[in-house]
Amino acid sequence: MEKIAVRGGIPLHGNVKISGAKNAAAAILPATILAGGKCIIENVPRISDVKYTLRILERLGAKVRVINKSTLEIDTAPLKGFTVTHELTRHMRASYYFLGALLGRFGKAKVAMPGGCNLGVRPIDLHEKAFAALGAKVDTEENAIISASADKLVGTRIYFDVVSVGATANAMLAAVRAEGRTEIENPAKEPHIVDLANFLNSMGANIRGAGTDIIRVDGVKELHGCTWSVVPDQIEAGTYMVAAAVTGGDVTIENVTPKHLEAITAKLRESGATVDEGDDSVRVIGGSRPAKCSVKTMPHPGFPTDMQPQMAVLLSVAQGTSYITESIFDNRFRYVDQLARMGAVVKVDGKMAVIEGVESLMGAPVQADDLRAGAAMLIAGLVANGQTEIDRIEYIERGYEEIVAKFRALGADIRYIKCEESTALTA
Ligand code: EPZ
């Protein structure tokens, strides 16, 4: 096992290229099942969540060919299976997309669901509601196998009382070949939802309104293979933006869609950073010390919940008291315990964290509690005095391609270390 060691205090400088979006690939790769032919997918991030998704596709019978380091050819013509066991889904929460894709292709799907994770209970009742509305019979069998089957899927009106990225995506996957029109009301509007809709349309689907308050899907008989490039990762980009700002650096983040980053840009400017937007890049110049500000996570286009832990690190060394309200998940402050080990002063009360900014953080042995918490620990290490060692880095590698190499190229003192090399006292 390895850890990541970071020695802080170095302002980041230079350029970093953003990879394809994890949360777009998580839906687009299973969606290739609907093509029943060959898709070429470009700008695929090399992260473990993609590795697990491809393993499931191959286990179902698809043929996956690596064309180059970020381009895959996926042929789902030979795909016959419709069952995904727990042995495969336990690594990756987003395996629920196989339910919608297999239901849309074969009219049946059996997928083992991973439990909740470190963000709290993560039910899939809205996904099941969407499938049932389209005419599917949905059951939970033993071993948490969700089964969905339908002789025929028929277009309908689906209203989500809670905005859900996963349920919105799954409703589209099941509806693209349903008979007639489906209207999805109060859908998620994240960039990865729009990317999925655009990908499905390039396969011959008929989806309009993705990114707005109503998504209309007119069912089609057949879908075909296509070539698609995954949208740049909004959250990876935001992670580097916060790191540049909090280290007082000057970093140009390339291969991004600035419009997708508007909420992050606005918050960083409010905290005193300079953010200049280019056509497909943003340049972030950090000030001497961040100013306090308050953050409330909201569905897109609001401030992304997946950027909440990273922003908490910046606010932990800001001047004054800041407030973070987490309105999407019911338990997304677990990382606060790790941040406190580095000297941060954060009080959590339900959905709100009150952060008293301190002059500086101190390096310490910490761990990643989940993907974005791990990224936050890395940013804390970049700004802390001394060395920080981050354990359980497998969480970070689920969603960040070459994160150590990318930060090292920006001047960070960061490296992998073997656990036995660790200088930290074992707990
Ligand atoms: C997606 O998770 C992302 N994962 C998450 O990113 C992200 O935090 C989240 O959307 C919100 O943007 C992927 O795209 C693979 P939701 P998802 O359904 O779809 C509740 C990361 O770090 N809910 O939008 O699971 C749910 O409990 C990960 O990249 C129901 O109640 O999130 C939550 O409170 C972490 N019933 C809220 O809705 C349901 O059926 C939003 O969840 C589904 C969700």
Side-chain angles (χ1 to χ4, degrees), residues 22-24 26-27 49 92-97 117 119-129 160 162-169 188 190 192 233-235 298-300 304-307 310 326-330 332 351 370-373 398-400:
K22 165 181 95 77
N23 293 345
D49 269 15
M92 191 185 61
R93 174 151 181 80
S95 33
Y96 43 54
Y97 289 134
C117 71
L119 308 181
V121 177
R122 294 180 74 182
I124 61 160
D125 57 311
L126 296 174
H127 302 237
E128 295 172 358
K129 170 184 166 182
F160 288 127
V162 171
V163 175
S164 163
V165 167
T168 302
E190 274 69 6
H192 30 287
D233 195 315
Q234 165 202 39
I235 305 302
M298 294 293 284
H300 192 78
T305 176
D306 292 345
M307 282 299 303
Q310 300 91 311
E326 172 54 56
S327 64
I328 307 292
F329 288 108
D330 56 23
R332 194 166 203 167
K351 286 191 170 282
D370 64 64
L371 164 59
R372 307 302 174 185
R398 280 191 48 207
Y400 287 94

Side-chain angles (χ1 to χ4, degrees), residues 161-361:
D161 55 321
V162 171
V163 175
S164 163
V165 167
T168 302
N170 248 337
M172 284 197 285
L173 292 173
V176 284
R177 288 182 54 188
E179 196 176 272
R181 171 170 289 186
T182 297
E183 295 194 336
I184 305 170
E185 293 185 36
N186 195 28
K189 303 173 184 164
E190 274 69 6
H192 30 287
I193 288 291
V194 177
D195 203 40
L196 173 64
N198 293 338
F199 167 68
L200 290 167
N201 282 341
S202 68
M203 287 207 292
N206 185 348
I207 303 174
R208 279 162 297 143
T212 73
D213 292 328
I214 292 195
I215 298 177
R216 285 189 178 80
V217 183
D218 286 322
V220 295
K221 284 252 177 295
E222 288 303 317
L223 294 171
H224 51 73
C226 67
T227 296
W228 190 256
S229 181
V230 176
V231 71
D233 195 315
Q234 165 202 39
I235 305 302
E236 184 195 15
T239 301
Y240 286 96
M241 291 170 74
V242 169
V246 75
T247 58
D250 179 350
V251 174
T252 298
I253 295 105
E254 299 171 336
N255 188 36
V256 298
T257 306
K259 178 145 185 59
H260 294 166
L261 306 171
E262 279 177 344
I264 303 163
T265 295
K267 267 310 151 194
L268 288 178
R269 285 174 174 160
E270 194 182 329
S271 74
T274 299
V275 183
D276 297 331
E277 294 176 336
D279 292 337
D280 60 355
S281 65
V282 289
R283 181 182 177 189
V284 178
I285 303 170
S288 51
R289 185 179 175 194
K292 66 182 169 61
C293 60
S294 289
V295 176
K296 179 173 183 180
T297 65
M298 294 293 284
H300 192 78
F303 190 88
T305 176
D306 292 345
M307 282 299 303
Q308 185 256 91
Q310 300 91 311
M311 198 65 193
V313 174
L314 182 139
L315 297 175
S316 73
V317 293
Q319 285 166 316
T321 303
S322 301
Y323 300 85
I324 292 185
T325 305
E326 172 54 56
S327 64
I328 307 292
F329 288 108
D330 56 23
N331 178 16
R332 194 166 203 167
F333 289 120
R334 282 168 53 101
Y335 63 88
V336 165
D337 296 345
Q338 300 296 315
L339 209 47
R341 298 179 69 167
M342 301 176 72
V345 178
V346 187
K347 199 157 70 66
V348 175
D349 179 8
K351 286 191 170 282
M352 179 174 278
V354 181
I355 304 176
E356 304 291 345
V358 294
E359 284 278 335
S360 61
L361 297 176

